[in-house]
Amino acid sequence: MKRKTVKLFAILLCFVMTAVMSSCKNNQKETANSKNRLPAGEITYPIKTNVKLTYWVDLDAKAAASAKNLGYTEFAKELKKQTGIDVEWIHPTLGQEDENFNIMASSKNLPDIIERGFLNYPGGPDKAIEDHIILKLNGLIDRYAPNYKKYLMSEPGLEKQVKTDSGTLYGFPFVRGTDMNCVFYGPIMRGDWLKDLNLEIPTTIDEYENVLKAFKDKEGATAAFTPIGTEDNFIIGAFGISKGWYIDDNKKVAYGPARPEFKDYLTVMNRWYREGILDKNFASNNEDAVKSNMLSGKSGLILGYSGGYLATLMNIMKDKDSKYELVGAPYPTLKKGEKVKFANKDWKFNTVTAAITPNCKNPELAMRLLDYGYSKKGNLLYNFGIEGVSFKMVNGYPTLTDNVIKNPDKLSVAEAIAKYSRGSYVGPFVQSKELDEQFTMGMPQQKQAKKLWAQADPYPNKYPLATFNSKESQEIVGIEAPLNAYANENIIKFIMGTEPLSDFDKFQAQLKKLNIDRAIEIRQASVDRYNKR
């Protein structure tokens, strides 16, 4: 009996000693780690630290105009100065961003921060977390991101866009600050031609057709309407549908080419093609072709950005043709006065997010770096750059300087902004209305265009930022790749007339065979989960 007692005591003593030793080791580790930890809540910048963070992000073409690496820009230098945090910027090869990311993700050789559209990750952000590509940040945001958390709580509806179906917050998003920031693309017409012909800006499809015929017959426009492929389907919304996925008036997922109204859209486009007012080369057009046609007088209507198209083209022509003018036009309706349901109006969250990876040894510091973009001073840097250099405060209004507006190195306004800030593209910050007012509405014609485009309210019918789970992702890709390829190929054939519109029923029957109903079912489940967030 005594032997059993002694033996039992020895075992217990062994357990106790092991626990004590383990506790001591853990305490030592905790003490060592605590030296690098930052306090929770508010914090004073710049932070004193010798830690360098690695940050993987696409190099935007506008930033590349003045630097081979984001680290060489005045923005990055100032970010380090203001935050105290050194960043090594890593860029994927231009044109191979997806391939580079996939290789990096497979190898698990991850940087501290990855900035990317994680909604496109197979299975969505939740799967990226499950695959140990990025971290779940809910707890860290509560402790180390007071600026972002405050903004998130002040914006009703935004949290639904930036979190996952499981309620996970996974990063720091690029957010368009106002409704007007969400409008930046739409129909652009030759305003000087409208004046010459004594024509009003068209609002209906019939009016557009009459204007385009006048451009062709009286202004010599050989490609009166020049779109890029079938992406610029700006008239399709007049028929109550979208070219791709949308939410119908019954709050159900729908696919435009599978609806009977799609034939009405094709009928108009086919007629425009036959009558020579639609560019014969529309299927192979790119941005350069569109801009070239609009500058040369071949075209009188394009779809484009208020900055990169409307303002850029007018600036090119201002010394060549003093009368040259571009104006915005509304998305058309079938009947005068009808409400425009579909237009290029984005969500406030544009899907790009800066996320922290499991490889990051100092996630608290990474949180502080990313949270800075949502602070008052950080927001000025991300939008406008350096005070006294790229902007100055005029009666409390951040105003771009001539270093940006009339850049001495001949950079465009967008490129100059990208030298000093990230305001002309994306990043972990909120794009301000003050920047939008100067950048995309600096000209009276830009203001006019954006105000017209902003009148549309597509959100009730706009497909939401829903995500697929892992199983759905695998199935939907297998269905939609051939489905979309078939639809796009035949839309072009219908418009050109190489496929008669009398075969439209056969086209829709083939969509059925390609499992369109199953695709709708999968997407409906995804949207239902999104609506419950």
Side-chain angles (χ1 to χ4, degrees):
M1 183 73 179
K2 288 182 179 180
R3 286 182 180 178
K4 289 182 179 180
T5 302
V6 171
K7 187 175 181 180
L8 180 61
F9 177 76
I11 293 172
L12 290 171
L13 181 62
C14 184
F15 273 124
V16 170
M17 291 299 292
T18 300
V20 170
M21 290 174 68
S22 176
S23 176
C24 288
K25 287 181 180 179
N26 287 336
N27 285 337
Q28 289 174 358
K29 186 177 180 181
E30 191 74 22
T31 301
N33 286 342
S34 66
K35 294 179 181 179
N36 294 321
R37 281 192 176 164
L38 297 172
E42 300 288 343
I43 197 169
T44 301
Y45 293 94
I47 297 169
K48 293 182 179 180
T49 178
N50 293 321
V51 175
K52 177 184 282 190
L53 297 174
T54 52
Y55 195 129
W56 191 96
V57 59
D58 295 356
L59 181 62
D60 187 270
K62 293 180 284 294
S66 61
K68 294 186 294 185
N69 184 285
L70 200 58
Y72 301 148
T73 63
E74 298 306 311
F75 160 77
K77 296 172 187 176
E78 185 67 15
L79 180 65
K80 179 182 177 181
K81 179 181 176 181
Q82 291 188 18
T83 63
I85 302 171
D86 195 7
V87 177
E88 178 186 347
W89 300 92
I90 303 167
H91 305 302
T93 306
L94 182 65
Q96 299 178 28
E97 291 84 359
D98 290 343
E99 293 88 339
N100 286 185
F101 172 78
N102 291 336
I103 292 170
M104 180 175 66
S106 298
S107 68
K108 294 297 191 293
N109 183 21
L110 303 171
D112 296 311
I113 299 167
I114 297 174
E115 185 178 312
R116 186 173 172 80
F118 285 98
L119 294 187
N120 295 323
Y121 188 88
D126 277 328
K127 188 63 168 63
I129 293 170
E130 182 185 325
D131 290 344
H132 306 291
I133 305 300
I134 58 175
L135 293 175
K136 179 178 179 178
L137 298 182
N138 296 56
L140 287 170
I141 286 174
D142 288 341
R143 290 172 60 80
Y144 298 105
N147 297 302
Y148 175 51
K149 186 176 180 180
K150 181 180 179 181
Y151 177 74
L152 199 57
M153 293 177 67
S154 70
E155 279 292 312
L158 180 63
E159 187 175 1
K160 186 176 184 177
Q161 296 178 33
V162 301
K163 69 182 181 181
T164 70
D165 292 338
S166 66
T168 295
L169 294 172
Y170 59 94
F172 293 76
F174 172 68
V175 181
R176 297 186 173 94
T178 68
D179 188 58
M180 194 62 79
N181 288 74
C182 297
V183 180
F184 42 82
Y185 188 93
I188 297 172
M189 305 193 81
R190 285 289 298 266
D192 53 329
W193 286 0
L194 291 173
K195 291 176 183 176
D196 288 345
L197 300 169
N198 197 28
L199 294 171
E200 299 290 330
I201 293 174
T203 61
T204 67
I205 288 180
D206 286 343
E207 289 176 355
Y208 263 98
E209 190 166 321
N210 291 333
V211 167
L212 290 173
K213 285 180 179 178
F215 284 175
K216 174 180 176 287
D217 296 336
K218 298 179 181 179
E219 297 290 349
T222 56
F225 172 36
T226 297
I228 296 178
T230 59
E231 296 307 309
D232 291 337
N233 292 276
F234 83 110
I235 70 167
I236 195 169
F239 302 98
I241 58 173
S242 174
K243 187 241 176 180
W245 297 101
Y246 67 101
I247 305 300
D248 68 18
D249 291 339
N250 295 318
K251 307 300 180 185
K252 296 297 182 182
V253 171
Y255 183 64
R259 301 297 284 255
E261 299 90 343
F262 199 77
K263 185 177 181 180
D264 298 327
Y265 155 72
L266 292 174
T267 300
V268 173
M269 293 297 286
N270 173 259
R271 184 171 67 247
W272 287 9
Y273 184 85
R274 285 187 286 105
E275 294 182 354
I277 57 177
L278 171 62
D279 186 355
K280 297 291 185 183
N281 300 314
F282 78 93
S284 59
N285 279 341
N286 55 24
E287 289 189 7
D288 290 339
V290 169
K291 291 178 179 179
S292 177
N293 279 9
M294 205 62 167
L295 289 170
S296 67
K298 289 181 180 180
S299 300
L301 170 65
I302 60 172
L303 277 287
Y305 298 96
S306 61
Y309 280 73
L310 191 152
T312 298
L313 298 182
M314 283 192 63
N315 283 329
I316 290 173
M317 293 299 292
K318 66 180 180 181
D319 295 327
K320 299 178 182 179
D321 183 353
S322 60
K323 292 184 178 180
Y324 187 93
E325 183 185 26
L326 300 178
V327 296
Y331 287 82
T333 57
L334 280 180
K335 297 179 181 179
K336 201 82 170 174
E338 283 183 331
K339 179 183 176 183
V340 177
K341 294 172 60 174
F342 293 93
N344 195 298
K345 196 173 189 179
D346 216 342
W347 297 105
K348 283 195 171 182
F349 171 42
N350 88 323
T351 77
V352 174
T353 305
I356 300 172
T357 77
N359 288 23
C360 182
K361 295 180 180 179
N362 294 274
E364 297 95 342
L365 188 66
M367 294 290 294
R368 293 302 190 183
L369 174 72
L370 297 174
D371 187 55
Y372 188 68
Y374 304 87
S375 68
K376 185 176 180 180
K377 193 171 181 181
N379 185 260
L380 279 174
L381 171 61
Y382 271 87
N383 276 284
F384 293 94
I386 306 168
E387 187 169 4
V389 180
S390 55
F391 81 97
K392 58 184 179 181
M393 297 301 290
V394 180
N395 297 324
Y397 187 93
T399 306
L400 295 172
T401 66
D402 283 349
N403 274 332
V404 173
I405 302 299
K406 300 176 182 178
N407 183 260
D409 298 322
K410 305 299 181 183
L411 296 174
S412 70
V413 174
E415 291 168 344
I417 291 173
K419 179 179 179 179
Y420 297 102
S421 76
R422 297 188 66 178
S424 61
Y425 54 111
V426 298
F429 70 103
V430 181
Q431 190 182 56
S432 77
K433 71 178 182 66
E434 292 85 0
L435 178 67
D436 187 59
E437 287 166 353
Q438 297 170 72
F439 173 43
T440 66
M441 293 198 290
M443 292 180 173
Q445 293 86 352
Q446 288 178 291
K447 291 180 180 178
Q448 171 265 350
K450 294 228 337 169
K451 286 180 179 178
L452 270 183
W453 300 340
Q455 291 174 2
D457 182 20
Y459 293 128
N461 301 100
K462 188 176 178 67
Y463 193 85
L465 299 175
T467 54
F468 303 116
N469 60 37
S470 188
K471 183 179 179 182
E472 289 169 340
S473 290
Q474 294 178 2
E475 187 178 2
I476 201 73
V477 168
I479 295 174
E480 291 192 2
L483 179 74
N484 290 331
Y486 173 77
N488 290 332
E489 178 185 350
N490 281 274
I491 288 169
I492 292 172
K493 288 180 179 179
F494 282 129
I495 293 173
M496 289 183 170
T498 55
E499 188 80 25
L501 285 169
S502 57
D503 285 347
F504 184 74
D505 290 344
K506 293 179 182 178
F507 165 74
Q508 290 199 321
Q510 184 61 26
L511 293 180
K512 289 275 189 181
K513 292 179 181 178
L514 290 171
N515 276 339
I516 181 63
D517 290 336
R518 176 57 182 156
I520 291 174
E521 185 180 351
I522 293 171
R523 284 186 173 271
Q524 188 65 58
S526 172
V527 169
D528 289 344
R529 290 195 304 272
Y530 175 86
N531 290 333
K532 291 177 182 177
R533 288 181 184 178

